[in-house]
């Protein structure tokens, strides 16, 4: 089973700054099935990015995804107050299997 | 409007059983993959079970043999039957859909809390 390692664990930034979140897979992610979610306390997780770089419906273009193979990145170009949350990467693989990273918390500095 | 509404959580003693429900509106449960994803207190997300359109099921190792995912198309509802519950099953359980975004969950419910304690 593929293991996803996210870094850093916590990112302390100010509104308006750029956030760069990393997700590294223990093996190559098949067919670029790599997604990113935003999760706030007491709310349902929200799909941001799928297929590495495709934005989900209604997601603003300040969110972008990139990468291939085992290394993937979520970038938030300019942090808005509502962007402070926990972010998870997730992959879909053979067997089938769906696995999540441990999360990166983006907090207000 | 497409919506998922979970129910059935609560306080259950170790070794007990319960059934979680996910009522679906706005689309048919038989046309998409449906999943249960949980978040234990202070932990991240874990996909525990997925039901494919073909009827094939997937279970995480931690719940395999103790859980059964199913659907009732007449009620447009997905279920997760859990038995032999352990304290480590304590979590918020979310229902999720793998829809147009292949390999990803594009619609989620608000979750239902399951606490396993004596």
């Amino acid at each position: 089973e593929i293991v996803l390692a996210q870094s850093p664990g916590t990112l302390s930034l100010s509104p308006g700054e750029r956030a760069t979140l990393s997700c590294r897979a223990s093996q190559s992610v098949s067919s670029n099935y790599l997604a990113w979610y935003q999760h706030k306390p007491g709310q349902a997780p929200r799909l941001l990015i799928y297929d590495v770089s495709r934005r989900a419906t209604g997601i603003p273009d300040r969110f972008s995804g990139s990468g291939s193979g085992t290394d993937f990145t979520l970038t938030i170009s300019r942090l808005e107050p509502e962007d402070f949350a926990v972010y998870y990467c997730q992959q879909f693989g053979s067997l089938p299997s769906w696995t999540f990273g441990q999360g990166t918390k983006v907090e207000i500095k | 409007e497409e919506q998922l509404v979970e129910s059935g959580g609560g306080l259950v003693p170790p070794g007990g059983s319960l059934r979680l429900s996910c009522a679906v509106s706005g689309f048919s449960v038989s046309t998409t993959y449906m999943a249960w994803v949980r978040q234990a207190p202070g932990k991240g997300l874990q996909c525990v079970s997925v039901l494919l359109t073909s009827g094939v099921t997937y279970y995480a190792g931690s719940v395999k043999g103790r859980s059964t995912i199913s659907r009732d198309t007449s009620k447009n509802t997905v279920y997760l039957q859990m038995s032999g519950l352990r304290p480590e099953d304590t979590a918020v359980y979310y229902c999720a859909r793998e829809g147009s975004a292949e390999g990803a969950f594009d619609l989620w419910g608000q979750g239902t809390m399951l606490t396993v304690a004596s």
Side-chain angles (χ1 to χ4, degrees):
Chain A
E1 183 176 279
I2 294 178
V3 176
L4 300 177
Q6 292 187 240
S7 61
T10 301
L11 200 50
S12 298
L13 295 168
S14 301
E17 289 193 294
R18 181 184 187 91
T20 302
L21 287 67
S22 174
C23 176
R24 178 162 289 180
S26 58
Q27 305 169 43
S28 184
V29 175
S30 62
S31 302
N32 286 331
Y33 287 137
L34 193 288
W36 291 91
Y37 300 83
Q38 178 190 70
H39 194 197
K40 297 179 181 179
Q43 297 187 19
R46 177 191 182 196
L47 177 65
L48 300 174
I49 301 286
Y50 65 100
D51 288 353
V52 176
S53 60
R54 295 176 181 266
R55 272 187 298 275
T57 303
I59 301 303
D61 60 8
R62 65 180 181 272
F63 292 92
S64 63
S66 63
S68 65
T70 60
D71 291 302
F72 302 90
T73 300
L74 174 70
T75 301
I76 311 172
S77 58
R78 287 178 55 88
L79 282 164
E80 297 287 340
E82 62 268 26
D83 298 337
F84 292 91
V86 179
Y87 292 84
Y88 295 94
C89 59
Q90 173 252 319
Q91 69 89 31
F92 167 70
S94 58
L95 293 182
S97 66
W98 293 257
T99 54
F100 291 87
Q102 83 279 19
T104 289
K105 181 179 182 180
V106 178
E107 65 176 21
I108 300 176
K109 187 174 181 180
Chain B
E1 181 190 1
E2 297 177 330
Q3 194 174 11
L4 307 175
V5 178
E6 302 94 336
S7 61
L11 176 62
V12 179
S17 302
L18 92 164
R19 187 179 74 169
L20 303 178
S21 300
C22 172
V24 174
S25 55
F27 66 96
S28 170
V29 296
S30 60
T31 61
T32 64
Y33 292 6
M34 295 298 299
W36 288 95
V37 178
R38 71 184 180 185
Q39 183 179 35
K43 303 293 186 182
L45 300 173
Q46 180 192 22
C47 180
V48 294
S49 186
V50 182
L51 176 59
L52 310 189
T53 50
S54 63
V56 171
T57 56
Y58 158 86
Y59 298 97
S62 54
V63 302
K64 199 168 188 178
R66 304 188 294 121
S67 299
T68 302
I69 189 171
S70 62
R71 64 189 172 213
D72 184 333
T73 54
S74 67
K75 295 181 179 178
N76 214 30
T77 298
V78 177
Y79 303 100
L80 183 67
Q81 177 74 45
M82 302 185 73
S83 61
L85 285 164
R86 307 165 181 169
E88 54 265 36
D89 294 318
T90 295
V92 175
Y93 285 74
Y94 296 99
C95 179
R97 176 187 75 177
E98 188 189 288
S100 56
E102 191 172 2
F105 302 115
D106 66 346
L107 182 67
W108 296 68
Q110 290 297 313
T112 186
M113 181 71 200
L114 167 62
T115 302
V116 183
S118 51

